[in-house]
Amino acid sequence: MLQKDRIRFREMLVEDWKAIHQYASQEIVSQYQPWGPNHEKDSIAYVNEVINDANRNPRERYAFAIVENQSNLLIGAGELQITSLTNRVGEIGYVLHPDYWGKGFATEAGELLLKFGFEDLQLHRIFATCDPRNKGSEKVLKKLDMKLEGIIRESILLKDRWRDSMLFSMLEHEWTDKKGLK
C-alpha cells in the first residue's frame, strides 16, 4: 500500500469517474493541460483507459486514485509512466481537486510517486514537466528536490497554441541520498 499520513494511492475503480469528473471538468484544473475541461464521456474514458493499462504485461503506466485518508474521498490522481524499460526511466504527474491545492497534498503525492518509482520499480531516472506559468506545480517539483534541467520549447499543443515545458528530474542516487537508503 502506497500511503502517507494524509493520503494513500489505490488502483482506479470504474465508479471513480464521478469523483474525477468533479475536478477534471473545471477549466482551472485543465488550464495548463492538453486535455479538458472534461465532459462526462472524457472522464469515463480516462478511467477505463487507466483500468485497461493496469492489466497490461509488462505494465508501463501506473495511474492511481489519490484518496484522502481522513474523509476516504478521491481527491485526485497520480501517475507514473515508464518511458523506457531499457533505460529505467519514468515520468510522474499528478492532478488534484482545487479544494486541496496549496495544502501539501500534491507534494505528498509526488513523494509517493518517487518512492514507488525508485524503490518498487527500481527506476534510474524520473522526470516531470510543467507549464512555466504553473507556479504551484513548479513549487511542488522543487519541494520534491527534483532538479530543473531546463525549458523544452513549444513541446505541447495546448488548446490553440504551443506551450513550453519546464523539465525537472531526479536520479536514483539522489533519491537514495535524500532518503538515507545507501
Side-chain angles (χ1 to χ4, degrees):
M1 173 72 83
L2 293 168
Q3 72 176 30
K4 302 231 3 125
D5 290 339
R6 299 187 306 156
I7 64 167
R8 69 183 180 279
F9 286 171
R10 66 162 170 75
E11 296 287 355
M12 293 269 185
L13 307 171
V14 173
E15 60 269 18
D16 287 339
W17 77 266
K18 293 175 187 170
I20 288 168
H21 189 67
Q22 287 180 3
Y23 63 80
S25 61
Q26 297 183 43
E27 176 68 38
I28 193 168
V29 174
S30 65
Q31 67 183 324
Y32 301 120
Q33 303 300 326
W35 54 266
N38 281 7
H39 298 285
E40 283 188 3
K41 65 179 175 50
D42 301 318
S43 297
I44 291 167
Y46 168 73
V47 171
N48 287 335
E49 182 181 292
V50 164
I51 291 169
N52 287 336
D53 287 345
N55 293 315
R56 294 188 190 277
N57 192 9
R59 185 172 179 181
E60 295 179 9
R61 180 185 189 193
Y62 297 84
F64 300 109
I66 301 172
V67 177
E68 199 256 335
N69 287 331
Q70 187 174 0
S71 67
N72 207 35
L73 293 174
L74 186 153
I75 62 169
E79 292 201 26
L80 189 151
Q81 173 78 39
I82 298 173
T83 59
S84 173
L85 289 168
T86 303
N87 295 307
R88 298 175 25 226
V89 177
E91 178 179 15
I92 62 168
Y94 43 81
V95 60
L96 289 173
H97 191 290
D99 289 351
Y100 296 88
W101 290 1
K103 299 176 181 176
F105 287 101
T107 303
E108 287 186 31
E111 289 171 349
L112 284 177
L113 290 167
L114 290 170
K115 177 179 177 20
F116 178 66
F118 287 123
E119 296 178 21
D120 296 332
L121 300 179
Q122 299 181 335
L123 296 178
H124 172 70
R125 180 176 187 276
I126 297 175
F127 69 93
T129 62
C130 75
D131 187 306
R133 298 169 296 168
N134 189 344
K135 297 304 178 191
S137 195
E138 177 184 356
K139 187 176 176 181
V140 167
L141 296 171
K142 287 179 176 178
K143 278 185 179 177
L144 293 172
D145 292 325
M146 296 184 82
K147 307 287 186 259
L148 176 62
E149 292 188 7
I151 305 286
I152 306 168
R153 300 179 319 137
E154 297 186 2
S155 62
I156 295 177
L157 185 58
L158 182 65
K159 301 350 182 218
D160 61 346
R161 67 183 185 94
W162 289 99
R163 180 197 101 172
D164 292 346
S165 294
M166 297 176 75
L167 175 64
F168 289 84
S169 71
M170 182 178 282
L171 301 176
E172 184 177 19
H173 69 84
E174 293 168 335
W175 174 258
T176 56
D177 289 349
K178 175 181 171 162
K179 295 299 175 186
L181 299 172
K182 277 188 165 180

